[in-house]
Amino acid sequence: MLKNLFISNYALIDNLEIEFSKGLNIITGETGAGKSVLLGALSLILGQRADASVLSDKKAKCIIEGTFDILECDFESFFAENNLDFDNTVILRREIIPTGKSRAFINDTPVNLDKIKELGEKLVDIHSQHNTLTLQDSAFQLDFIDAYAQHKSLLSDYQKALIIYSNTKVELEKLISEEEKAKSDQDYFQFQFNELDAARLLENEQNELEAEKELLAHAGEINTTIANCVNSLLYNDQPLIANLKEIEVSLQKILPYYNSLDELLQRIKSVNIEIKDIASELESKAHGVIINPDRIQEIDERLDLIYHFQQKHRVNSISELLAIKTQYENKILSITSLETKIIEQKGILDLLHKKLQSFSDSLSANRKKVKPIIEKGIVNVLKKLAMPESQIEIKIESLDHFGNKGRDKVNFLFNANKGGEIKPISKVASGGELSRLMLAIKSLITQHTLLPTVIFDEIDTGVSGEIAAKVGEIMRAMSSNMQVVAITHLPQIAAKGLAHYMVYKETDSTSTYTRIRQLSASERTNEIARMLSGDKVTKEALENAKVLINFNNN
């Protein structure tokens, strides 16, 4: 419950602090006194966005702070998940500086606005006369049924599954798109790969072919040169080998007289042998070089093919061509891989669809189960609010797709008068009827939620007299298991309160300020009398006010 609200430098409020009580809290005041300003400030600590326009003093910061008792609330998991210190009392604070920037705090720990809003929605439900229009909204109607059905965990499981299903569906669509594009290129990839594959290119082939071509192109010159060299060594008129032999014989003759020539003689013998060996190898090399025009043509054709591919693919080597071939092969394989992934993804999507269908079927079953209970409950409350002939029918239709809350569409049909036709709420309900219908719904919701505080901002619009008294009774009944704050203009409702606060304006020489204070017993009687008779409080009005208060306190 809301224990304390502190407001500084907000609109017409310079400094204001108010302590709230358990049960039914009543706030009254003349029109324009600033009751809506209080709610505006409160909404800031519940996560509403704000800017510098709310500052009364444009040079100072605005501070709104609310203290809540959460002893009976199950909020430990929220605090644990957000690394916040948990206590039985929680303080929500917003600060807005003149630049328009704001900061949010939970128990003095800075948090982002979404977090304070998430917690605020668990603490307070603010309902104003303008919110009766939401009663006509199918989403609100569905939320109401879900709150009554108490399947929050099931709905959470469904929504988690829906996120996974939606992401999987997007991924499948992405894969299908990739496959379509890839298949449009598949023939091109396959042709390029086949062309390179058929060429049977080898890593060092180009260098070897170019070297072989160079050899064959100079075969005649090579053979002639080798023959001349062999002749010079062995067969010329004065062959080198014969001259060396002659030198060897000459030295052999004088060796007995000059034995120091022995080493040189041995070297000449070695050279002689080496020259014979060289000549033999030269002759052998000459036999390996064959003039072959047909082979040259084959090499030219092969090299032309290699050069063609290099020019086509803008590369300079066979290794680069082989890399390109591998790339095309991988692209072809990836298309097959995409097909496999698509099949797998479709299987996963099918399983998720069945899971979602199971969750949505359970949600629908729960809603249909509580539907007659809700219809009966609303009608019973409306009877207390002087609408004895009211009819309410909750129409639940199936959608052709998975929505955020299942596959149900809800529409509340209503008829306030005997013999009237039951139609959608927006077509048959007046402002006063909408207010009473919303109050009936709120009173049912409070039986099935653990919301600590509900605030009604002039929900009594369009009602008066005995009906107003019934509205007050329902609010007081609601306050038996939660805190209720009611801003009202009706004395019948004000008299039901356990604590009564008055909002008023105070003016000094320069400014006007909004104030609020809790009324004493006598002040409360005077305020209710004012509400009964106007600014001029009569003796009769005072007596009526006492009767109203005493009646509700007995």
Side-chain angles (χ1 to χ4, degrees):
M1 58 168 273
L2 177 61
K3 294 172 60 178
N4 177 277
L5 180 63
F6 170 79
I7 305 169
S8 172
N9 195 33
Y10 178 85
L12 294 178
I13 299 173
D14 54 352
N15 277 288
L16 178 152
E17 186 168 8
I18 179 173
E19 299 281 341
F20 287 97
S21 304
K22 292 182 178 180
L24 178 58
N25 295 260
I26 297 296
I27 297 177
T28 61
E30 295 182 358
T31 301
K35 299 184 292 297
S36 61
V37 175
L38 283 174
L39 286 186
L42 178 61
S43 67
L44 289 182
I45 60 171
L46 301 180
Q48 182 175 304
R49 297 192 177 277
D51 54 47
S53 64
V54 302
L55 301 181
S56 175
D57 181 351
K58 302 301 181 182
K59 296 180 181 180
K61 70 179 177 180
C62 165
I63 300 174
I64 299 105
E65 188 171 276
T67 303
F68 296 84
D69 181 355
I70 57 171
L71 178 62
E72 299 178 2
C73 303
D74 184 19
F75 291 168
E76 287 93 337
S77 59
F78 172 86
F79 282 79
E81 290 168 5
N82 293 284
N83 296 317
L84 297 168
D85 294 332
F86 178 77
D87 197 352
N88 292 332
T89 298
V90 61
I91 299 174
L92 305 186
R93 186 169 84 253
R94 285 287 296 282
E95 296 181 358
I96 303 162
I97 61 177
T99 61
K101 292 183 179 179
S102 73
R103 296 193 299 168
F105 301 84
I106 297 177
N107 286 344
D108 288 328
T109 300
V111 295
N112 60 41
L113 194 57
D114 289 340
K115 286 304 172 189
I116 202 171
K117 183 177 181 181
E118 183 180 350
L119 180 57
E121 288 175 347
K122 299 176 185 292
L123 292 169
V124 180
D125 175 27
I126 298 178
H127 180 78
S128 70
Q129 57 180 315
H130 307 293
N131 293 138
T132 53
L133 296 177
T134 63
L135 184 55
Q136 304 169 18
D137 181 51
S138 179
F140 171 82
Q141 295 170 3
L142 185 59
D143 286 343
F144 164 53
I145 294 174
D146 286 339
Y148 200 93
Q150 292 184 286
H151 54 203
K152 185 177 180 180
S153 178
L154 174 62
L155 183 58
S156 176
D157 290 341
Y158 168 84
Q159 290 172 335
K160 290 175 183 176
L162 179 61
I163 291 172
I164 298 172
Y165 175 81
S166 299
N167 291 340
T168 303
K169 190 174 182 181
V170 169
E171 183 62 27
L172 175 60
E173 291 170 352
K174 182 180 176 182
L175 287 173
I176 291 173
S177 177
E178 288 178 8
E179 184 194 35
E180 289 174 352
K181 184 179 184 305
K183 281 190 172 180
S184 68
D185 296 330
Q186 186 174 18
D187 290 342
Y188 172 78
F189 295 152
Q190 193 68 56
F191 172 80
Q192 298 296 337
F193 171 80
N194 290 344
E195 190 177 44
L196 289 169
D197 187 56
R200 299 288 186 268
L201 299 171
L202 302 174
E203 185 73 37
N204 297 316
E205 181 182 11
Q206 182 178 357
N207 292 337
E208 292 172 356
L209 288 173
E210 289 174 344
E212 185 181 358
K213 178 183 176 182
E214 194 71 15
L215 177 66
L216 292 173
H218 297 84
E221 180 184 352
I222 291 169
N223 286 335
T224 300
T225 300
I226 291 176
N228 291 336
C229 289
V230 171
N231 284 334
S232 296
L233 292 173
L234 300 177
Y235 307 117
N236 213 355
D237 292 339
Q238 289 185 328
L240 181 58
I241 193 70
N243 291 334
L244 283 173
K245 186 63 179 174
E246 185 178 333
I247 293 169
E248 180 186 343
V249 172
S250 298
L251 291 176
Q252 187 69 40
K253 288 179 180 180
I254 64 172
L255 183 61
Y257 317 112
Y258 192 18
N259 56 15
S260 63
L261 294 174
D262 185 54
E263 184 180 349
L264 289 173
L265 181 61
Q266 294 305 318
R267 289 169 66 185
I268 288 173
K269 286 181 179 180
S270 296
V271 170
N272 195 1
I273 294 169
E274 182 69 17
I275 288 175
K276 286 181 181 179
D277 189 56
I278 289 171
S280 177
E281 284 199 30
L282 282 172
E283 287 181 323
S284 176
K285 292 288 184 184
H287 294 313
V289 180
I290 301 171
I291 298 174
N292 189 346
D294 292 338
R295 177 57 182 162
I296 292 177
Q297 184 176 352
E298 288 176 8
I299 292 173
D300 282 339
E301 290 174 355
R302 184 64 175 171
L303 286 172
D304 285 345
L305 180 65
I306 292 170
Y307 297 151
H308 163 72
F309 284 134
Q310 289 177 346
Q311 185 177 16
K312 177 179 179 179
H313 296 285
R314 298 181 181 180
V315 295
N316 299 311
S317 67
I318 287 181
S319 61
E320 291 173 297
L321 287 174
L322 292 174
I324 290 172
K325 174 189 167 186
T326 301
Q327 290 174 9
Y328 284 126
E329 184 177 23
N330 290 337
K331 287 178 179 178
I332 293 166
L333 291 174
S334 70
I335 295 172
T336 304
S337 175
L338 278 173
E339 292 172 352
T340 303
K341 286 181 181 178
I342 287 170
I343 293 172
E344 292 173 352
Q345 201 80 348
K346 284 181 176 178
I348 294 171
L349 195 67
D350 184 56
L351 291 175
L352 290 171
H353 186 280
K354 290 177 180 177
K355 188 176 182 179
L356 269 182
Q357 187 63 59
S358 175
F359 282 144
S360 65
D361 287 347
S362 297
L363 288 170
S364 293
N366 289 350
R367 290 161 180 161
K368 289 172 182 175
K369 184 178 180 180
V370 300
K371 170 180 172 293
I373 302 173
I374 293 173
E375 291 170 341
K376 183 177 179 181
I378 292 175
V379 167
N380 287 339
V381 176
L382 290 176
K383 285 179 180 178
K384 296 177 183 179
L385 296 174
M387 296 174 69
E389 303 299 335
S390 296
Q391 295 173 278
I392 186 91
E393 179 185 338
I394 300 172
K395 190 174 182 181
I396 301 177
E397 299 176 324
S398 295
L399 299 171
D400 59 359
H401 63 280
F402 291 116
N404 187 49
K405 295 182 180 178
R407 299 187 68 170
D408 292 333
K409 180 181 179 182
V410 174
N411 192 9
F412 281 24
L413 305 179
F414 180 70
N415 174 38
N417 305 303
K418 186 175 182 178
E421 183 181 356
I422 193 164
K423 293 180 180 179
I425 291 173
S426 59
K427 297 182 178 180
V428 293
S430 65
E433 290 167 346
L434 280 176
S435 294
R436 281 177 276 176
L437 185 55
M438 180 60 88
L439 181 60
I441 287 174
K442 290 285 184 179
S443 68
L444 288 181
I445 289 177
T446 58
Q447 299 173 22
H448 294 270
T449 63
L450 298 175
L451 197 67
T453 301
V454 174
I455 299 176
F456 291 109
D457 179 19
E458 300 182 3
I459 193 176
D460 47 36
T461 299
V463 300
S464 59
E466 184 61 26
I467 299 175
K470 294 292 185 181
V471 169
E473 288 175 9
I474 291 172
M475 288 183 180
R476 187 155 181 169
M478 290 171 63
S479 72
S480 62
N481 57 14
M482 64 170 48
Q483 182 188 49
V484 177
V485 179
I487 299 174
T488 183
H489 286 293
L490 299 179
Q492 295 91 337
I493 294 176
K496 304 287 183 181
L498 301 178
H500 191 146
Y501 306 85
M502 185 177 72
V503 178
Y504 60 98
K505 284 183 178 179
E506 187 175 83
T507 302
D508 61 18
S509 58
T510 59
S511 302
T512 299
Y513 304 101
T514 290
R515 307 292 190 207
I516 186 170
R517 61 187 176 87
Q518 185 171 359
L519 301 179
S520 64
S522 59
E523 289 173 331
R524 185 184 182 197
T525 301
N526 286 331
E527 173 65 6
I528 292 177
R530 181 195 65 78
M531 297 171 74
L532 285 166
S533 63
D535 291 337
K536 187 176 181 180
V537 177
T538 64
K539 182 179 179 180
E540 291 79 6
L542 283 170
E543 290 301 319
N544 287 337
K546 290 177 183 178
V547 170
L548 276 176
I549 293 171
N550 291 334
F551 177 78
N552 289 298
N553 289 329
N554 293 325

